[in-house]
Amino acid sequence: MADRPVFSIVVPAYNEELVVGEAYGRLKGTMDAMGEPYEIVFVNDGSRDLTCPIIESICAGDPNVRLIDLSRNFGHQIAITAGMDKARGDAVVVIDCDLQDPPGVIPLMAGKWREGYDVVYGKRIKRKGEGFLKRLTSKAFYRLMRRMTEVDIPVDVGDFRLIDRKVCEAMGTVRERSRYIRGLISWVGFRQTFVEFERDARFAGETKYPFRKMVKLALNGITSFSYKPLKIATYFGTLLSFAGFAYLLVVLYQRLFTDSVIQGWASILIVNLLFNGITLILLGIIGEYIGRIHDEVKGRPLYVIMKETNMGDG
Protein backbone atom coordinates (compact mmCIF):
# COMPACT_ATOMS: atom_id res chain seq x y z
CA MET A 1 0.00 0.00 0.00
CA ALA A 2 1.73 3.15 -1.20
CA ASP A 3 -0.08 5.73 0.92
CA ARG A 4 -0.51 5.76 4.65
CA PRO A 5 -4.22 5.06 5.18
CA VAL A 6 -6.43 7.78 6.56
CA PHE A 7 -8.94 5.17 7.70
CA SER A 8 -8.42 1.67 9.08
CA ILE A 9 -11.52 -0.52 9.20
CA VAL A 10 -11.10 -3.31 11.77
CA VAL A 11 -13.42 -6.25 11.13
CA PRO A 12 -13.36 -9.22 13.57
CA ALA A 13 -14.69 -12.40 11.97
CA TYR A 14 -15.55 -15.79 13.44
CA ASN A 15 -17.25 -18.42 11.26
CA GLU A 16 -18.63 -15.80 8.86
CA GLU A 17 -18.18 -17.59 5.52
CA LEU A 18 -21.75 -16.65 4.51
CA VAL A 19 -21.21 -12.96 5.24
CA VAL A 20 -17.57 -11.99 4.77
CA GLY A 21 -17.74 -11.54 0.99
CA GLU A 22 -20.76 -9.26 1.22
CA ALA A 23 -19.20 -7.36 4.12
CA TYR A 24 -16.08 -6.71 2.05
CA GLY A 25 -18.14 -5.54 -0.92
CA ARG A 26 -20.16 -3.05 1.12
CA LEU A 27 -17.13 -1.75 3.01
CA LYS A 28 -15.14 -1.34 -0.20
CA GLY A 29 -18.02 0.52 -1.86
CA THR A 30 -18.35 2.88 1.11
CA MET A 31 -14.64 3.57 1.44
CA ASP A 32 -14.03 3.99 -2.30
CA ALA A 33 -16.81 6.58 -2.38
CA MET A 34 -15.08 8.54 0.38
CA GLY A 35 -12.06 8.94 -1.90
CA GLU A 36 -9.30 8.72 0.72
CA PRO A 37 -6.63 6.08 1.40
CA TYR A 38 -7.91 3.26 3.56
CA GLU A 39 -7.27 -0.28 4.68
CA ILE A 40 -9.65 -3.03 5.75
CA VAL A 41 -8.13 -5.20 8.47
CA PHE A 42 -9.95 -8.51 8.85
CA VAL A 43 -9.16 -10.45 12.03
CA ASN A 44 -9.94 -14.14 11.69
CA ASP A 45 -10.65 -15.25 15.25
CA GLY A 46 -9.97 -18.97 14.86
CA SER A 47 -12.82 -19.68 12.42
CA ARG A 48 -13.53 -23.35 11.70
CA ASP A 49 -15.24 -22.75 8.35
CA LEU A 50 -14.04 -21.11 5.11
CA THR A 51 -13.85 -17.58 6.50
CA CYS A 52 -10.05 -17.42 6.40
CA PRO A 53 -9.60 -18.81 2.84
CA ILE A 54 -12.25 -16.38 1.56
CA ILE A 55 -10.45 -13.41 3.14
CA GLU A 56 -7.13 -14.64 1.75
CA SER A 57 -8.61 -14.71 -1.75
CA ILE A 58 -9.88 -11.16 -1.22
CA CYS A 59 -6.41 -10.07 -0.09
CA ALA A 60 -4.89 -11.55 -3.25
CA GLY A 61 -7.03 -9.26 -5.39
CA ASP A 62 -7.07 -6.13 -3.25
CA PRO A 63 -3.92 -4.72 -1.57
CA ASN A 64 -6.12 -2.49 0.63
CA VAL A 65 -7.32 -5.59 2.49
CA ARG A 66 -5.18 -7.08 5.25
CA LEU A 67 -5.63 -10.27 7.25
CA ILE A 68 -4.63 -11.18 10.77
CA ASP A 69 -5.19 -14.89 11.37
CA LEU A 70 -5.20 -15.74 15.07
CA SER A 71 -3.98 -19.16 16.19
CA ARG A 72 -7.30 -19.99 17.86
CA ASN A 73 -10.55 -18.39 18.98
CA PHE A 74 -9.54 -15.76 21.55
CA GLY A 75 -12.91 -14.02 21.65
CA HIS A 76 -14.52 -11.00 20.03
CA GLN A 77 -12.98 -8.36 22.31
CA ILE A 78 -9.47 -9.75 21.89
CA ALA A 79 -9.92 -9.93 18.10
CA ILE A 80 -10.85 -6.24 18.09
CA THR A 81 -7.74 -5.53 20.14
CA ALA A 82 -5.52 -7.39 17.66
CA GLY A 83 -6.95 -5.36 14.79
CA MET A 84 -6.49 -2.07 16.62
CA ASP A 85 -2.89 -2.99 17.46
CA LYS A 86 -2.10 -3.50 13.76
CA ALA A 87 -4.20 -0.67 12.31
CA ARG A 88 -2.19 2.19 10.77
CA GLY A 89 -4.84 4.75 9.92
CA ASP A 90 -5.30 8.23 11.35
CA ALA A 91 -8.80 7.06 12.29
CA VAL A 92 -9.76 3.49 13.19
CA VAL A 93 -13.29 2.17 12.71
CA VAL A 94 -14.41 -1.02 14.47
CA ILE A 95 -17.33 -2.79 12.79
CA ASP A 96 -18.60 -6.36 13.05
CA CYS A 97 -18.65 -8.64 10.03
CA ASP A 98 -22.35 -9.53 10.30
CA LEU A 99 -23.53 -6.26 8.64
CA GLN A 100 -25.91 -5.42 11.48
CA ASP A 101 -23.95 -2.19 11.78
CA PRO A 102 -24.31 -0.58 8.33
CA PRO A 103 -21.06 0.58 6.65
CA GLY A 104 -22.98 3.57 5.30
CA VAL A 105 -22.74 5.16 8.75
CA ILE A 106 -18.93 5.42 8.51
CA PRO A 107 -18.96 8.69 6.46
CA LEU A 108 -21.16 10.26 9.15
CA MET A 109 -18.64 9.20 11.81
CA ALA A 110 -15.81 10.59 9.69
CA GLY A 111 -17.63 13.92 9.49
CA LYS A 112 -17.84 14.15 13.27
CA TRP A 113 -14.18 13.17 13.51
CA ARG A 114 -13.20 16.01 11.20
CA GLU A 115 -15.15 18.38 13.44
CA GLY A 116 -12.62 17.55 16.17
CA TYR A 117 -14.13 14.61 18.03
CA ASP A 118 -11.73 11.81 19.00
CA VAL A 119 -14.34 9.09 19.50
CA VAL A 120 -17.55 8.76 17.48
CA TYR A 121 -19.73 5.84 18.47
CA GLY A 122 -22.84 4.52 16.79
CA LYS A 123 -25.97 4.76 18.93
CA ARG A 124 -28.78 2.35 18.07
CA ILE A 125 -32.21 3.89 17.86
CA LYS A 126 -33.80 0.73 16.47
CA ARG A 127 -32.73 -2.92 16.45
CA LYS A 128 -34.13 -4.98 13.60
CA GLY A 129 -34.23 -8.75 13.60
CA GLU A 130 -33.91 -9.15 17.37
CA GLY A 131 -36.51 -10.69 19.64
CA PHE A 132 -38.21 -8.98 22.55
CA LEU A 133 -36.13 -10.86 25.14
CA LYS A 134 -32.82 -9.88 23.48
CA ARG A 135 -33.83 -6.22 23.30
CA LEU A 136 -35.07 -6.27 26.91
CA THR A 137 -31.92 -7.89 28.33
CA SER A 138 -29.65 -5.59 26.32
CA LYS A 139 -31.51 -2.52 27.51
CA ALA A 140 -31.37 -3.71 31.12
CA PHE A 141 -27.65 -4.53 30.86
CA TYR A 142 -26.61 -1.11 29.55
CA ARG A 143 -28.54 0.67 32.27
CA LEU A 144 -27.20 -1.63 34.96
CA MET A 145 -23.67 -0.92 33.74
CA ARG A 146 -24.30 2.80 33.89
CA ARG A 147 -25.48 2.58 37.51
CA MET A 148 -22.78 0.15 38.62
CA THR A 149 -19.72 1.98 37.27
CA GLU A 150 -18.18 5.39 37.74
CA VAL A 151 -17.10 5.50 34.08
CA ASP A 152 -19.57 7.21 31.76
CA ILE A 153 -20.36 4.30 29.43
CA PRO A 154 -23.09 5.35 26.96
CA VAL A 155 -26.22 3.22 26.76
CA ASP A 156 -27.50 1.41 23.64
CA VAL A 157 -24.02 1.45 22.15
CA GLY A 158 -21.94 -1.49 20.92
CA ASP A 159 -18.39 -1.70 19.61
CA PHE A 160 -19.23 0.05 16.31
CA ARG A 161 -17.29 3.30 16.51
CA LEU A 162 -14.53 5.47 15.06
CA ILE A 163 -11.53 6.38 17.21
CA ASP A 164 -8.69 8.77 16.51
CA ARG A 165 -5.08 7.57 16.22
CA LYS A 166 -4.18 8.97 19.67
CA VAL A 167 -7.09 7.06 21.23
CA CYS A 168 -5.95 3.88 19.50
CA GLU A 169 -2.43 4.38 20.88
CA ALA A 170 -3.81 5.00 24.36
CA MET A 171 -5.81 1.77 24.08
CA GLY A 172 -2.59 -0.01 23.15
CA THR A 173 -1.23 0.70 26.62
CA VAL A 174 -4.21 -0.97 28.30
CA ARG A 175 -3.47 -4.70 28.24
CA GLU A 176 -5.90 -6.20 30.73
CA ARG A 177 -7.19 -9.63 29.70
CA SER A 178 -10.86 -9.42 30.69
CA ARG A 179 -11.55 -6.78 28.09
CA TYR A 180 -14.65 -4.69 27.62
CA ILE A 181 -13.65 -2.47 24.70
CA ARG A 182 -16.51 0.01 24.80
CA GLY A 183 -15.88 0.58 28.51
CA LEU A 184 -12.12 0.97 28.02
CA ILE A 185 -12.63 3.56 25.29
CA SER A 186 -14.87 5.53 27.62
CA TRP A 187 -12.28 5.16 30.39
CA VAL A 188 -9.37 6.59 28.37
CA GLY A 189 -11.44 9.72 27.84
CA PHE A 190 -10.93 12.23 25.00
CA ARG A 191 -13.68 14.17 23.24
CA GLN A 192 -16.56 11.83 22.40
CA THR A 193 -19.87 12.09 20.55
CA PHE A 194 -22.28 9.81 18.69
CA VAL A 195 -24.26 9.33 15.51
CA GLU A 196 -27.62 7.58 15.55
CA PHE A 197 -28.52 4.70 13.24
CA GLU A 198 -30.94 1.83 12.83
CA ARG A 199 -29.31 -1.53 13.36
CA ASP A 200 -30.10 -4.04 10.63
CA ALA A 201 -30.87 -7.72 11.00
CA ARG A 202 -27.94 -10.09 10.54
CA PHE A 203 -27.22 -10.59 6.81
CA ALA A 204 -26.72 -14.37 7.12
CA GLY A 205 -25.55 -17.00 9.56
CA GLU A 206 -26.19 -17.08 13.28
CA THR A 207 -25.31 -14.77 16.13
CA LYS A 208 -21.89 -15.17 17.74
CA TYR A 209 -23.22 -13.75 21.02
CA PRO A 210 -25.63 -16.30 22.51
CA PHE A 211 -26.92 -15.83 26.04
CA ARG A 212 -23.89 -17.48 27.65
CA LYS A 213 -21.45 -15.12 25.94
CA MET A 214 -23.64 -12.13 26.71
CA VAL A 215 -23.50 -13.04 30.40
CA LYS A 216 -19.71 -13.38 30.21
CA LEU A 217 -19.41 -9.98 28.51
CA ALA A 218 -21.62 -8.46 31.19
CA LEU A 219 -19.46 -9.95 33.95
CA ASN A 220 -16.31 -8.64 32.27
CA GLY A 221 -17.83 -5.20 32.00
CA ILE A 222 -19.03 -5.04 35.60
CA THR A 223 -15.92 -6.53 37.22
CA SER A 224 -13.57 -4.42 35.08
CA PHE A 225 -15.17 -1.10 35.96
CA SER A 226 -16.90 -1.54 39.30
CA TYR A 227 -16.16 -2.67 42.85
CA LYS A 228 -19.80 -2.34 43.83
CA PRO A 229 -20.44 -6.13 43.78
CA LEU A 230 -17.74 -6.48 46.43
CA LYS A 231 -19.36 -3.71 48.44
CA ILE A 232 -22.69 -5.53 48.11
CA ALA A 233 -20.99 -8.66 49.48
CA THR A 234 -19.79 -6.63 52.47
CA TYR A 235 -23.25 -5.18 53.09
CA PHE A 236 -24.90 -8.61 52.88
CA GLY A 237 -22.29 -10.12 55.19
CA THR A 238 -22.84 -7.36 57.75
CA LEU A 239 -26.61 -7.73 57.50
CA LEU A 240 -26.43 -11.50 57.99
CA SER A 241 -24.13 -11.08 60.99
CA PHE A 242 -26.53 -8.65 62.66
CA ALA A 243 -29.48 -10.92 61.88
CA GLY A 244 -27.67 -13.91 63.38
CA PHE A 245 -26.72 -11.96 66.50
CA ALA A 246 -30.30 -10.71 66.92
CA TYR A 247 -31.62 -14.26 66.61
CA LEU A 248 -29.08 -15.39 69.21
CA LEU A 249 -30.43 -12.81 71.67
CA VAL A 250 -33.97 -14.02 71.05
CA VAL A 251 -32.97 -17.63 71.72
CA LEU A 252 -31.13 -16.69 74.92
CA TYR A 253 -34.09 -14.65 76.14
CA GLN A 254 -36.50 -17.53 75.56
CA ARG A 255 -34.16 -19.96 77.27
CA LEU A 256 -33.49 -17.86 80.37
CA PHE A 257 -36.66 -15.87 80.95
CA THR A 258 -39.56 -17.87 79.52
CA ASP A 259 -40.95 -21.37 79.75
CA SER A 260 -41.68 -21.62 76.03
CA VAL A 261 -40.21 -24.59 74.23
CA ILE A 262 -38.02 -23.65 71.28
CA GLN A 263 -39.58 -25.31 68.26
CA GLY A 264 -39.37 -24.97 64.50
CA TRP A 265 -36.48 -27.09 63.34
CA ALA A 266 -37.86 -26.92 59.79
CA SER A 267 -37.83 -23.13 59.82
CA ILE A 268 -34.29 -23.09 61.23
CA LEU A 269 -33.19 -25.42 58.44
CA ILE A 270 -34.76 -23.15 55.84
CA VAL A 271 -33.04 -20.08 57.30
CA ASN A 272 -29.69 -21.92 57.32
CA LEU A 273 -30.12 -22.97 53.70
CA LEU A 274 -31.06 -19.43 52.71
CA PHE A 275 -28.11 -17.87 54.52
CA ASN A 276 -25.70 -20.51 53.19
CA GLY A 277 -26.98 -19.90 49.67
CA ILE A 278 -26.43 -16.15 50.00
CA THR A 279 -22.96 -16.81 51.39
CA LEU A 280 -22.05 -19.00 48.41
CA ILE A 281 -23.30 -16.35 45.99
CA LEU A 282 -21.15 -13.75 47.71
CA LEU A 283 -18.15 -16.08 47.61
CA GLY A 284 -18.82 -16.53 43.90
CA ILE A 285 -18.71 -12.76 43.37
CA ILE A 286 -15.41 -12.56 45.21
CA GLY A 287 -14.17 -15.54 43.19
CA GLU A 288 -14.88 -13.70 39.94
CA TYR A 289 -12.52 -10.92 40.99
CA ILE A 290 -9.87 -13.34 42.25
CA GLY A 291 -10.05 -15.31 39.00
CA ARG A 292 -9.42 -12.16 37.00
CA ILE A 293 -6.47 -11.27 39.21
CA HIS A 294 -5.10 -14.76 38.55
CA ASP A 295 -5.41 -14.25 34.78
CA GLU A 296 -3.67 -10.88 34.92
CA VAL A 297 -0.66 -11.92 36.99
CA LYS A 298 0.24 -14.78 34.62
CA GLY A 299 1.34 -12.19 32.08
CA ARG A 300 0.44 -14.18 28.98
CA PRO A 301 -0.02 -12.33 25.67
CA LEU A 302 -3.57 -11.33 24.81
CA TYR A 303 -3.45 -13.24 21.52
CA VAL A 304 -1.18 -15.25 19.24
CA ILE A 305 -1.02 -14.56 15.50
CA MET A 306 -0.63 -17.60 13.27
CA LYS A 307 -0.09 -15.69 10.02
CA GLU A 308 -0.59 -12.31 8.38
CA THR A 309 -1.46 -11.34 4.82
CA ASN A 310 -0.78 -7.98 3.14
CA MET A 311 0.65 -6.67 6.41
CA GLY A 312 3.75 -5.05 4.94
CA ASP A 313 4.36 -1.38 5.57
CA GLY A 314 4.07 -0.67 1.86
Side-chain angles (χ1 to χ4, degrees):
M1 191 181 303
D3 298 324
R4 173 186 171 90
V6 176
F7 298 100
S8 293
I9 315 300
V10 174
V11 190
Y14 174 64
N15 291 344
E16 297 286 9
E17 63 179 4
L18 300 177
V19 185
V20 66
E22 180 69 18
Y24 161 69
R26 293 192 190 181
L27 286 169
K28 177 177 173 57
T30 298
M31 301 312 298
D32 284 346
M34 292 179 67
E36 297 183 85
Y38 70 90
E39 63 180 3
I40 302 174
V41 183
F42 282 99
V43 184
N44 178 45
D45 189 22
S47 298
R48 297 189 297 270
D49 60 3
L50 298 177
T51 298
C52 189
I54 292 173
I55 299 174
E56 288 178 324
S57 66
I58 294 172
C59 289
D62 189 344
N64 292 322
V65 179
R66 309 167 74 196
L67 170 63
I68 303 169
D69 187 16
L70 301 183
S71 61
R72 65 170 177 85
N73 178 243
F74 285 89
H76 180 254
Q77 302 292 290
I78 298 296
I80 292 175
T81 301
M84 292 171 60
D85 288 346
K86 294 291 186 176
R88 301 177 299 168
D90 298 325
V92 179
V93 178
V94 177
I95 184 171
D96 285 340
C97 192
D98 56 17
L99 293 175
Q100 288 188 278
D101 301 324
V105 178
I106 295 176
L108 301 178
M109 292 180 169
K112 291 290 186 181
W113 173 59
R114 295 195 185 284
E115 291 177 12
Y117 290 99
D118 300 308
V119 177
V120 186
Y121 50 85
K123 185 173 183 178
R124 307 157 181 161
I125 58 175
K126 188 175 181 180
R127 303 166 68 109
K128 301 177 183 177
E130 295 183 355
F132 172 77
L133 182 60
K134 177 66 177 294
R135 294 196 303 270
L136 179 63
T137 54
S138 295
K139 185 175 181 179
F141 164 69
Y142 287 122
R143 282 146 185 83
L144 175 63
M145 277 292 298
R146 195 173 185 89
R147 296 182 67 89
M148 290 287 287
T149 67
E150 297 179 0
V151 178
D152 185 17
I153 302 176
V155 299
D156 301 325
V157 171
D159 293 310
F160 181 35
R161 66 191 61 212
L162 178 150
I163 63 174
D164 186 80
R165 164 54 46 189
K166 58 179 172 287
V167 180
C168 189
E169 291 175 354
M171 288 288 293
T173 66
V174 182
R175 308 309 288 178
E176 60 193 63
R177 297 185 58 81
S178 299
R179 302 183 74 78
Y180 184 62
I181 297 296
R182 63 198 76 168
L184 290 174
I185 292 177
S186 294
W187 179 84
V188 298
F190 298 98
R191 193 179 180 203
Q192 305 195 13
T193 189
F194 64 90
V195 295
E196 294 180 334
F197 72 99
E198 292 187 6
R199 197 175 199 218
D200 294 329
R202 165 175 273 274
F203 178 78
E206 59 184 20
T207 179
K208 303 307 183 295
Y209 263 104
F211 182 75
R212 176 179 59 84
K213 288 189 175 182
M214 288 295 294
V215 171
K216 182 179 179 181
L217 181 66
L219 286 175
N220 283 342
I222 292 172
T223 55
S224 294
F225 293 96
S226 176
Y227 296 109
K228 287 185 179 179
L230 291 177
K231 293 181 180 179
I232 292 173
T234 301
Y235 297 151
F236 263 115
T238 303
L239 178 63
L240 291 178
S241 296
F242 274 115
F245 182 72
Y247 186 66
L248 172 63
L249 294 179
V250 171
V251 172
L252 288 175
Y253 176 81
Q254 289 180 332
R255 177 69 178 83
L256 297 174
F257 301 105
T258 70
D259 296 327
S260 62
V261 179
I262 300 175
Q263 298 179 349
W265 291 107
S267 60
I268 293 175
L269 178 62
I270 292 173
V271 170
N272 280 333
L273 291 175
L274 175 63
F275 281 12
N276 288 337
I278 294 174
T279 301
L280 290 175
I281 291 173
L282 300 182
L283 287 174
I285 293 174
I286 297 171
E288 286 288 336
Y289 284 92
I290 294 175
R292 280 156 174 73
I293 294 172
H294 180 249
D295 281 342
E296 297 294 337
V297 299
K298 286 185 289 190
R300 295 174 183 171
L302 294 179
Y303 54 85
V304 177
I305 297 176
M306 184 163 58
K307 62 181 176 180
E308 300 177 344
T309 305
N310 285 356
M311 299 297 287
D313 293 333

